[in-house]
Structures are given as structure tokens and as C-alpha cells.
Amino acid sequence: MSTAPPWTAFANERLANEGFRRGGGRAAVIDLLDAQECALSAQEIEDQLKAGTRKVGRATVYRVIDELVDLGLLGRVELGDGIARFERVFPEGAHHHHHFVCSNCEKLVPFEDEELERVLRRVARREGLVMESHEVTLRGRCPDCS
Amino acid sequence: MSTAPPWTAFANERLANEGFRRGGGRAAVIDLLDAQECALSAQEIEDQLKAGTRKVGRATVYRVIDELVDLGLLGRVELGDGIARFERVFPEGAHHHHHFVCSNCEKLVPFEDEELERVLRRVARREGLVMESHEVTLRGRCPDCS
DNA sequence: ATACGTGCAAAATGTTTGCGGCTCA
DNA sequence: TGAGCCGCAAACATTTTGCACGTAT
């Protein structure tokens, strides 16, 4: 398989189409998110940006997150600790994954499973629901902590 | 199928074994939770108790929730709106269900599926994870809003 | 030029904690 | 009687909002 087009490009195009301007703060948040494999909390985003050259205020972080979630470019993930985390959403469900959280070391492990997706689609159909998104979280011991 | 023993009895026995006393506030919270089919937020618990004869303070609601979650009697559910909700957990996974949230009317619809449970167990095994609990949330349009 | 973007600080919301008084065992 | 239980209010943590200023188009 070839390298997927960077999510940044996808997001920027979508934002442009929706009439958003390209400000420095938003660009910094988007670039940071594109560098992550998995979910990041608002606090983590703010901290990592503070550590870099481009300082971005908390309000901007939250506002950008909001826009991206509304546009379907970012997915919100809640792992059970009361802190919302966010991660890229690719077009057509590419790279879609779920999360395992270790109850001992709190490590976050992403995983994919096509049969799981199939079963969820089937359940939604059976219940008469038009599914727009879904989230699966497993909790337990990771291999290192067993 | 026969009527399952009330969760209240199960919870009280477990609490007694752990050396907890039976206070009026805790009893009220437990009774209220046992009357619910699905998850309730701390705010909802407090409000419903305030409306009844037994007023219970916010702190007690949270403290009781904490104890019950720690003992595995209560499950924490996060549905994507940043508010934690809680629901009874029965022994041996009886009555175990997941949630669908309507993106239009915010209605909460519980559902069960044995194949889903099987797939999740298989995924955990494949990844070398010892699963302790899991949570599945679907979002989309419910039949009434389609 | 002007509407959108940004940062700061204040406010709102959800949750936890300190502490004095009450109650069950 | 005394260890836990309770409620109030203050403290906390996360997220949202108001406002003045900056910047892209």
C-alpha cells in the first residue's frame, strides 16, 4: 500500500471549503495532531505546543478542537478517566481503530478488527439505528503488566 | 427466566462483607440505582433524590458512587458529552449491555449482543490483553429521528 | 477594510476534599 | 462509645465564554 495523503492536507482542504481562514494557532494544532498516532487530551496539546516555538492559548486549542470535531475531521475519545482525548479521523474510515487501556500502567494501546466493525454494523441495522460513529474501549492488563 | 435477585441485595451483601455500614444516604443512592434500567449521571442521582423524601448531599452521591465502582458493583459509562454516568453491574456479567446515543434527540438506547461480546474476547486474546471490562458506544440516528 | 482568528482572564461546569456533627453497630 | 457516615462549603480540574487586539484575505 502507498503512503496515505497526510491528514493535514485533507483537513486543510475541508476547512478551506467551509470558508475557514488559515490562522497560525489552528495550523499549529492541526500539525501537532497529524504527528500523533493516537489520541491526545486538550492539556497535552496545549503543553506540547507551549514547549514548541508556536505558543497557542488554551482557548484556541479548545476552539480548534471543536471545529474539527464538528467537521468530522477529529474524533472524540473518552477512556474512562473523565478527560476527553482527540485523534484524527481519515476519510472513508481508513485507519479506524479502537483502544485498550491498561488498568495497571494506564498505557493506551490501539487496535483494529474488521470483524468487530462488521458486528457493530449488523447490530446497528438490527436495532434500526443509522450509525454515524462508534467507540470501543477495553480495560484490563496489558502484556507487560500481566 | 425467573426474576433476578435485586441488585440491591447483591450490593448490600458485598458492602457488608467489606465492612461498610449501612447509612441512610448510601441506602438511598443504592435503591435509586436499582430502580434504573440504564445509566444515570451524578447530577441526575442528586436531583432525583432531592425530589424524594430523603435528601442526599452531592458529596455523598459521589462518595457512594466511588465505593460502588471500586467494588465492581457499579459501572462507569462515558457517552461522549463529558458527563460520567453509572449503572448497575450484575455478577457474572448478567444483563450486560452497551449503549446507542441518538445524535439528534440524545436518547439513550441500551442493547445486547452475544456475538459482539465474543468478538471482543477474541480481540483481547489476540492482543495478549487480560480484559477486565469493556464499553461500546454507538452514535447516530435512532428510529424515531431517521 | 473587515470579518475571522487569537490570547488572556473570568466564568461555568463537573468532581473532590476538609471538617464538624450525626448515626449505626 | 467510637468508627464510619453525612452534608455543607470550599477547593479543584476541565472546558467555555467575553472582550480587545491581531491578521489573513
Side-chain angles (χ1 to χ4, degrees):
Chain A
M1 53 188 117
S2 63
T3 301
W7 174 78
T8 297
F10 172 54
N12 285 337
E13 188 188 329
R14 188 111 168 59
L15 285 164
N17 287 342
E18 297 287 335
F20 286 89
R21 293 183 185 175
R22 182 166 174 75
R26 183 187 294 139
V29 172
I30 289 177
D31 287 349
L32 176 64
L33 285 167
D34 205 8
Q36 310 304 316
E37 264 317 297
C38 213
L40 234 51
S41 68
Q43 184 67 66
E44 288 168 337
I45 293 172
E46 191 187 347
D47 289 346
Q48 295 204 25
L49 288 175
K50 261 203 222 325
T53 47
R54 176 58 152 116
K55 272 58 172 176
V56 175
R58 189 173 319 154
T60 296
V61 170
Y62 279 105
R63 281 190 282 241
V64 170
I65 286 173
D66 249 30
E67 295 163 0
L68 296 175
V69 170
D70 284 350
L71 291 174
L73 293 166
L74 207 57
R76 178 192 178 112
V77 174
E78 290 182 350
L79 270 13
D81 59 358
I83 299 176
R85 286 154 198 278
F86 303 88
E87 63 187 4
R88 299 172 293 177
V89 171
F90 290 88
E92 299 169 27
H95 303 284
H96 185 63
H97 68 252
H98 295 293
H99 301 95
F100 178 88
V101 184
C102 180
S103 55
N104 184 242
C105 69
E106 302 296 316
K107 184 167 54 185
L108 186 55
V109 183
F111 67 84
E112 289 185 61
D113 191 86
E114 184 45 45
E115 193 188 356
L116 172 56
E117 305 296 322
R118 234 182 349 257
V119 171
L120 291 175
R121 286 193 294 269
R122 203 204 68 232
V123 169
R125 188 164 357 103
R126 188 188 68 206
E127 304 279 334
L129 312 167
V130 181
M131 185 164 65
E132 292 164 350
S133 69
H134 60 266
E135 186 184 332
V136 176
T137 306
L138 306 185
R139 262 179 286 279
R141 293 269 172 161
C142 71
D144 296 341
C145 293
S146 290
Chain B
M1 52 190 122
S2 64
T3 302
W7 174 78
T8 296
F10 172 54
N12 284 338
E13 187 189 330
R14 188 111 167 60
L15 286 164
N17 288 342
E18 297 287 334
F20 286 91
R21 293 183 186 176
R22 181 167 175 75
R26 183 188 293 141
V29 172
I30 289 177
D31 288 349
L32 176 64
L33 285 168
D34 204 9
Q36 311 303 316
E37 265 316 299
C38 212
L40 234 50
S41 68
Q43 183 69 65
E44 288 168 337
I45 293 172
E46 191 187 347
D47 290 346
Q48 295 204 25
L49 289 176
K50 261 203 223 325
T53 46
R54 176 60 151 114
K55 273 59 172 175
V56 176
R58 189 174 318 154
T60 296
V61 171
Y62 279 104
R63 279 191 281 240
V64 171
I65 286 173
D66 251 27
E67 294 164 0
L68 296 175
V69 170
D70 284 350
L71 290 174
L73 293 165
L74 208 57
R76 177 190 180 117
V77 174
E78 291 183 348
L79 270 13
D81 59 358
I83 300 176
R85 287 154 198 278
F86 303 87
E87 64 187 2
R88 297 170 295 176
V89 171
F90 290 87
E92 299 168 27
H95 304 285
H96 184 64
H97 67 251
H98 295 293
H99 301 95
F100 178 88
V101 184
C102 180
S103 56
N104 183 241
C105 69
E106 302 297 315
K107 184 167 55 187
L108 187 55
V109 183
F111 67 85
E112 289 185 60
D113 191 87
E114 184 44 44
E115 193 188 357
L116 173 56
E117 304 298 321
R118 248 194 325 270
V119 171
L120 291 175
R121 285 194 294 268
R122 184 180 56 69
V123 169
R125 190 166 353 105
R126 188 189 67 207
E127 304 279 334
L129 313 166
V130 180
M131 185 164 67
E132 291 164 351
S133 69
H134 60 265
E135 188 185 331
V136 176
T137 307
L138 306 186
R139 262 179 285 278
R141 294 268 173 162
C142 71
D144 296 342
C145 293
S146 292

